Amino acid sequence: MSRSTAIARAEQCFDSGAFRDLLARRLAIPTESQNPGRAGELSAYLETEMRPAFEAMGFECSILTHEKARAPFLFAERIEDPALPTVLGYGHGDVIRGLEPEWHAGLSPWTLAERDGRWYGRGIADNKGQHSINIEALRLVLQTRGKLGFNVKYLLEMGEETGSPGLRELCEQHRDRFAADLLIASDGPRLSPQRPTVFLGARGSLNFDLSIEARAGGHHSGNWGGLISNPGIQLAHAIATLVSPSGQIRVPEWVPAGLPPAVRRALADCEVDGGADGPEIEPDWGEPGLSPAERVFGWCSFEVLAYKTGNPDTPVNAIPPRAWARCQLRFVVGVDPDALLPALRRHLDRQGFPMVRVQTTRETMFKATRIDPDDPWVRWTVASLERTSGKKVAVLPNLGGSLPNDIFTDVLGLRTVWVPHSYPGCSQHAPNEHLPPELLREALTLMTGLYWDLGAGDTPARARA
C-alpha cells in the first residue's frame, strides 16, 4: 500500500459521508465546560466517544484527573517501537456555551447542518472538528499500512475553554509518561481559508481590570459638576496613556525590542485574510511600519474588552462614583510576562493616575511561545503538507490568539508544530460556528499524508538517531 492509497481513502471517507456522520455524533454532545450542569457530558465525550475510537486502533487508554481540574483528561498511547519517533497529539473536547437563541433560524449548535456551502455546529472549528480530523487520519494510515510506523501519545482535555485548569500540573506529574519528540496538534485558524498553514507557538495573553472607586455614591451633576472628579473621565484618560489613538502601545515593557529576522522572513509572504465575512483590515491601526501579518503574529496588541461607568442602560444626571474596564494584552516572545503588571503600575503612577486600581482576573495568563521557523521539524512538516496539497504553506511564528502551548514547550520540553483546520471567519466562540466542507476535506488529506510520512522513516528524529 502507498501514500497515494492512504490519501485516496481519506477522500473517500469524506466523500462517502462517513466523516460527516462521525462529526455529527460528536457535535451532538453538548460539552459546554463553562456550564456547571454539563459535567456528565464532559465525561461522556471521553468515555463513550473518544476512548472507543482510540481503542479500536489498538491504543491503551487512561482517564486521568487532577485536583485542580474541573473535568477529566483522556490519555491514549500506541507504542509500536521505542526506537521510532514519538509524537504527542493534543485536543480539547469541551466547547464554549452554545448560545442557542442567537443562532440563525433553523440552526442548532448541537446539530450538524449544511447551509450555503458551510457546515454549522458548536465545536466544528473549536476543537472537535480539528482533533477528529487528526484522529481519523491516524486510523486511515493504520488501515492502509497495517501499522503507523511511529509512536503516538494523545492527550484530550475537557477544560480548555475555562483556561485549562490542571493541565500544567498534570503534565508536570506525568512528564516522563507524556515524553515525545514533538507535538503535532491542531487548533486555531489558517492564515486564509484556501492556504494550508502551520504555526509554531502562540501569543501570550493577560487579562486585567482597571478601576477607580472615587466615593460611595453618585452626586447630582448640576450641583457638583466641576467640583468633584468623574471616574469615567479619569479612567478614559488613564487608558489613553497606554495606547495611542491609532492603537500603538505606549508602555515600553509591553513590546519586544524588535522582530527577529527569522520571523520577518516567515511572515514576508503572509497575507491576513478573514474570508468573505471577516472585517476589513485597517492599515493605519496598530504598530506603524509593520505589515498586517507582522502586527498580529509578530507584535503585541492592547485591547479594552469592556468599559462601564454610571448606568449605561438608564443614564441619570449624576456624576458616577466609579468606573471599570476589562483590558487585555496579547504579547509575543521577547516580552517578560512577570514585568507586565509592575510596568503598568509604574506607568500609571508616572502619568498621574495613582487612583487607578490594577487587578488581575480569574482567566489564566498564557505565556508567549515560539519555536524557530528554521527548525528541521518545521521544514519537514511544511514539505509534507506541500507535497499533499500542491500549495505553498504559510508558516506563522505563532498564533495571533493564545493557547496553553507553554505547557508543552516549557514543562514537557517539546517542539510544537500546529496545523490548523479552521479559518478566521469561522465564528468561533460566537453563534453560527461553521467551516467550509472543502477545508475539512483538504485537512483530512493533509493530516493523512503527514502521518504517513511520519512513519516512512525520513524524519529529523530518525536522522538524529
Side-chain angles (χ1 to χ4, degrees):
M1 292 294 185
S2 66
R3 185 182 197 271
S4 60
T5 301
I7 292 175
R9 284 183 169 175
E11 294 171 338
Q12 196 276 332
C13 174
F14 193 92
D15 295 342
S16 69
F19 181 78
R20 187 186 190 283
D21 292 343
L22 177 148
L23 187 54
R25 191 173 65 244
R26 293 175 181 173
L27 298 184
I29 305 174
T31 51
E32 301 166 297
S33 58
Q34 296 177 325
N35 183 347
R38 296 297 196 187
E41 284 82 356
L42 299 180
S43 296
Y45 186 78
L46 297 183
E47 287 283 10
T48 66
E49 187 60 40
M50 304 314 300
R51 181 198 280 266
F54 280 111
E55 290 180 341
M57 294 188 288
F59 281 69
E60 296 182 3
C61 297
S62 304
I63 298 295
L64 305 178
T65 60
H66 193 278
E67 60 182 7
K68 289 191 175 182
R70 303 170 193 166
F73 302 82
L74 174 66
F75 180 67
E77 60 181 336
R78 178 187 167 101
I79 307 299
E80 295 188 351
D81 184 342
L84 293 172
T86 300
V87 61
L88 177 67
Y90 163 81
H92 64 92
D94 67 314
V95 298
I96 209 76
R97 289 183 182 271
L99 307 175
E100 292 96 325
E102 301 177 41
W103 286 59
H104 292 320
L107 294 180
S108 163
W110 316 122
T111 302
L112 178 59
E114 184 169 2
R115 179 181 293 182
D116 300 325
R118 296 169 170 178
W119 288 5
Y120 287 83
R122 176 61 86 219
I124 192 169
D126 188 20
N127 177 258
K128 292 178 180 178
Q130 303 217 33
H131 66 248
S132 292
I133 284 170
N134 293 3
I135 295 167
E136 189 68 0
L138 288 170
R139 185 189 68 80
L140 291 163
V141 170
L142 184 60
Q143 180 189 61
T144 305
R145 184 184 271 146
K147 61 180 181 179
L148 292 174
F150 58 98
N151 306 312
V152 179
K153 300 178 180 181
Y154 220 104
L155 183 64
L156 281 175
E157 71 160 316
M158 301 301 294
E160 195 270 351
E161 301 294 4
T162 56
S164 297
L167 178 61
R168 178 177 297 275
E169 292 78 9
L170 189 83
C171 288
E172 290 172 344
Q173 180 181 347
H174 297 281
R175 183 181 285 109
D176 293 338
R177 190 177 182 184
F178 295 170
D181 291 292
L182 80 160
L183 174 100
I184 295 179
S186 299
D187 204 343
R190 291 179 169 192
L191 182 65
S192 66
Q194 296 79 26
R195 189 173 182 185
T197 301
V198 299
F199 62 84
L200 313 177
R203 286 204 293 184
S205 176
L206 174 65
N207 283 18
F208 56 91
D209 290 345
L210 299 179
S211 61
I212 298 176
E213 292 281 346
R215 55 192 67 87
H219 294 273
H220 193 279
S221 57
N223 296 335
W224 295 96
L227 300 179
I228 60 175
S229 61
N230 187 311
I233 295 174
Q234 288 180 309
L235 187 57
H237 279 280
I239 292 172
T241 70
L242 305 177
V243 62
S244 76
S246 59
Q248 181 181 14
I249 293 174
R250 287 173 162 168
V251 182
E253 295 90 342
W254 283 10
V255 294
L259 282 179
V263 173
R264 281 194 180 276
R265 289 196 301 271
L267 296 175
D269 72 335
C270 292
E271 182 177 349
V272 180
D273 179 9
D277 296 335
E280 183 178 349
I281 294 173
E282 300 179 34
D284 297 325
W285 184 263
E287 183 68 18
L290 300 182
S291 70
E294 290 170 340
R295 296 204 301 269
V296 73
F297 300 118
W299 207 250
C300 308
S301 62
F302 170 78
E303 306 294 343
V304 177
L305 306 181
Y307 190 105
K308 183 177 180 180
T309 188
N311 188 335
D313 296 324
T314 311
V316 296
N317 293 322
I319 299 170
R322 62 188 61 86
W324 165 90
R326 171 67 52 85
C327 303
Q328 182 185 77
L329 180 71
R330 302 273 187 178
F331 58 94
V332 297
V333 171
V335 175
D336 182 0
D338 296 328
L340 297 176
L341 291 182
L344 172 60
R345 181 71 272 163
R346 293 193 301 270
H347 175 89
L348 291 173
D349 290 345
R350 285 196 305 267
Q351 297 294 325
F353 298 101
M355 77 291 291
V356 177
R357 182 185 182 190
V358 180
Q359 190 172 14
T360 57
T361 67
R362 290 185 294 178
E363 287 93 348
T364 302
M365 181 180 77
F366 292 109
K367 295 183 179 179
T369 54
R370 175 197 297 152
I371 70 169
D372 187 351
D374 293 328
D375 185 274
W377 273 111
V378 177
R379 295 198 298 269
W380 177 88
T381 302
V382 169
S384 173
L385 299 178
E386 291 184 343
R387 180 183 177 189
T388 302
S389 67
K391 301 176 180 178
K392 182 174 176 56
V393 171
V395 179
L396 306 180
N398 46 257
L399 179 68
S402 299
L403 290 167
N405 196 61
D406 60 302
I407 297 174
F408 305 118
T409 58
D410 299 351
V411 176
L412 299 182
L414 296 177
R415 293 174 172 85
T416 55
V417 180
W418 295 79
V419 186
H421 309 320
S422 179
Y423 81 107
C426 69
S427 298
Q428 170 189 345
H429 287 196
N432 309 308
E433 182 178 345
H434 66 274
L435 284 180
E438 59 270 18
L439 192 161
L440 290 164
R441 186 181 190 272
E442 182 181 56
L444 186 58
T445 65
L446 290 175
M447 295 308 296
T448 301
L450 183 64
Y451 288 138
W452 182 274
D453 293 342
L454 192 58
D458 186 18
T459 65
R462 288 184 63 84
R464 287 198 303 273

